[in-house]
Amino acid sequence: MKTAAINPPAATHVLRCVHCGTVQATASRMFRCSQCSELLEVTYPEWADAGREFGLRLKEIWRERRGSNLPENASGVWRFRELLPQIERGNMVTMCEGNTPLIELQQAPRNAGGARVLAKHQGMNPTGSFKDTGISAAISMAKSEGFNFVCCASTGNTSASVAAYAARAGMKSIVLLPVGQVASGKLAQALEYGAYVLQLQTDFDGCLKILHEVVQRFPAYLLNSLNPYRLEGQKTVAFEIMEQLDWNIPHHVIVPGGNLANSSALGKGFMELHQLGLISRLPKISIIQAAGANPLVRTMRENGGESLIAVKPETRATAIRIGNPASWRKAAAALKNTGGACEDVSEQEIAQAKAELGAEGVGCEPASAASLAGLKKLARMGFVKPDETVVLVLTGHMLKDVDYMLDAQVKRIPGPLDADPSAVVRNLEKIYAAD
Ligand code: F0G
């Protein structure tokens, strides 16, 4: 038996270009390949010959840690630290992120051809979105490197998460937001957590482009998902899903796509479990975009994922209002490696799916509902079959975008009634009769 099987090795990592394969030990401020400027990913050369014993030992260690209250074990990210870059305990910035519920849906299967459907509710993270797992990992790197400022461009959730984790770490956060295109709950969060908020007269893609310049001229650590350490935190959702399913592999995982880091991270997480012999096959990871912001759908359809077709984005699911996604190459690889589908759904389909989730007590924000809308489409196409198990990733909390819900639901409130029990009962009788 190899030593690695008994004592899992501390993971030393390198950064590898996802396009030309160049390997480098450290990255520039923009986390781009020094040769071809494409994105980098974190890899762990020692795993190449770690063997299955290593994988099995990890399963045991991770299970044991679930009973521990130490911050590094209570975190649904750092609990999996053998598969993450090494960070000293004192530099881990954590708030028990991850640890989100996997909820079996009751109504959704009826609309999805009968498949078993579970919702992995990433909106139950500390700031209400999946971003917290990635920000915990990346901001811990920033702390290790001694940064005082962190920054991001955002459609809202990243900014809320960056602001909260920076506050926890005693750092200052700078967030660039597209003016008028961020749901008010997210903007309020960033402000309340103390971020320096700058609203720009452009969209998310424009904000990110400007931030490229800013980080060359101002000493702030970039926390957008160009930063490959973000994906290391976000990939842990794959490990949690497998634990919660007692290591029974789902047939499908369906996730909304915006800047395309989350789908990439999920793909990486499942691929690593596969590589370590912890799962025998990969679930198909499917990516769903809004029809008005569908660059990956067009890219896959029109050139099989070879070169990005950017679009001018428009959707009321503002979290995924992105036309020029940074991680498109990684996402295209996740689709190819797992055999997943890439589809788009209309505004109406998103609204309908969101209302359906709400009606079964599992709220989420509009972008998250794209995953259920996508499942319904994939079931109609026969891509998802009635005897299969599907995990929908719900990326954000329902209260992030209250205006969207009120617009859709406020018509259900009758006009103001007299403050009188009889008026209430008369109204209830009317509602019952109509039901
Ligand atoms: N769902 C929600 C709720 C999001 O906030 C995002 C992205 C996505 C899905 C798409 O994830 O970008 O990894 O493909 N929000 C980013 C932000 C862009 O700034 O908060 P992705």
Side-chain angles (χ1 to χ4, degrees), residues 328-362:
W328 68 273
R329 257 187 219 286
K330 293 184 181 180
L335 289 171
K336 282 186 192 159
N337 290 333
T338 69
C342 186
E343 287 294 332
D344 53 12
V345 288
S346 68
E347 295 294 299
Q348 176 56 32
E349 287 172 310
I350 292 174
Q352 174 69 26
K354 179 167 154 50
E356 285 170 15
L357 286 162
E360 64 171 298
V362 185

Side-chain angles (χ1 to χ4, degrees), residues 129-131 153-159 186 204 224-225 230 234 256-263 319-320 322 365 367-368 395-396:
S129 85
F130 71 95
K131 305 288 181 180
S154 181
T155 57
N157 280 324
T158 303
S159 66
K186 303 173 188 181
F204 168 83
N224 276 99
S225 53
R230 275 274 308 274
Q234 284 174 214
N259 212 22
L260 298 173
N262 203 29
S263 42
I320 51 174
I322 295 173
E365 70 166 281
S368 313
T395 45

